[in-house]
Amino acid sequence: MLANRVTLIYVLLMTAVVVASNVLVQYPLSGELFGIALGDLLTYGAFTYPVAFLITDLTNRQFGPRVARRVVAAGFLVAVLFSIGASTPRIAIASGSAFLAGQLLDISVFNRLRRQTWWRAPLIASLIGSVLDTMIFFSFAFAPAFSVFGPNDAFAIEWAPVLGVFTTELPRWISWAMGDFSVKVLVGLVMLLPYGALMSRLMPMPGVEKTA
């Protein structure tokens, strides 16, 4: 009974993070940093989305990969439904695919590393999951090769200086992906703080580490 209540809390938290990220992704970051217009690279959603990996990892630690996949499935459903209502079909496909693939990879990597030093599993799992998540989302959403999912965004595929400052030019969506991943790495490091603080309170259920 307690496990069901705690799992429900994880599902609700995941749902809140997914909804918040899908709303905040519509708002570009304001200001400049070292001459770079942050609004050209990032949205506020880049700072909230990585929290989903923290929720997945805490669920995995406490209840194991099977329950963690259920929580991810709930988040995936919300991501798809919200994206369909708030964006184009192509963005919805990209968002749902990236979320599902990235989170499932996170679960798998975390499970392999769970018996090592406490910080290795959450950090490495979230970083590897973020790589896959970023690659899938920005490729599906903007790369001309995936125009089968929907029309190309002319502004996204225009060539421009990398990150807005380098002389080398690439399609603008690649700079967006680089900026997004950089933030995920930063937030992934920060998320070690709440993960470490909650470790003693959210102990693995009996048998989880033996069956994982």
Side-chain angles (χ1 to χ4, degrees), residues 10-152:
Y10 282 131
V11 170
L12 294 176
L13 288 172
M14 182 67 83
T15 300
V17 169
V18 170
V19 171
S21 297
N22 276 278
V23 171
L24 293 174
V25 77
Q26 302 175 62
Y27 297 94
L29 210 61
S30 57
E32 292 187 357
L33 182 64
F34 303 122
I36 303 174
L38 296 177
D40 291 339
L41 298 175
L42 296 170
T43 67
Y44 286 98
F47 294 89
T48 57
Y49 181 79
V51 179
F53 288 102
L54 172 64
I55 296 170
T56 299
D57 292 342
L58 288 174
T59 308
N60 201 348
R61 169 180 166 77
Q62 191 170 11
F63 297 109
R66 181 176 300 178
V67 175
R69 292 188 188 102
R70 293 175 186 169
V71 173
V72 166
F76 170 75
L77 181 61
V78 171
V80 171
L81 293 177
F82 192 92
S83 296
I84 289 175
S87 59
T88 65
R90 182 168 181 175
I91 295 298
I93 292 171
S95 176
S97 301
F99 176 86
L100 186 61
Q103 295 295 324
L104 291 179
L105 181 58
D106 175 278
I107 291 171
S108 178
V109 174
F110 183 98
N111 214 40
R112 289 177 178 273
L113 302 177
R114 68 187 306 136
R115 296 180 181 86
Q116 298 185 18
T117 307
W118 72 269
W119 56 267
R120 287 181 180 269
L123 180 60
I124 295 176
S126 65
L127 292 181
I128 293 177
S130 293
V131 170
L132 183 62
D133 177 280
T134 302
M135 289 176 61
I136 291 178
F137 176 77
F138 285 94
S139 296
F140 282 15
F142 303 114
F146 294 98
S147 59
V148 64
F149 296 144
N152 292 320

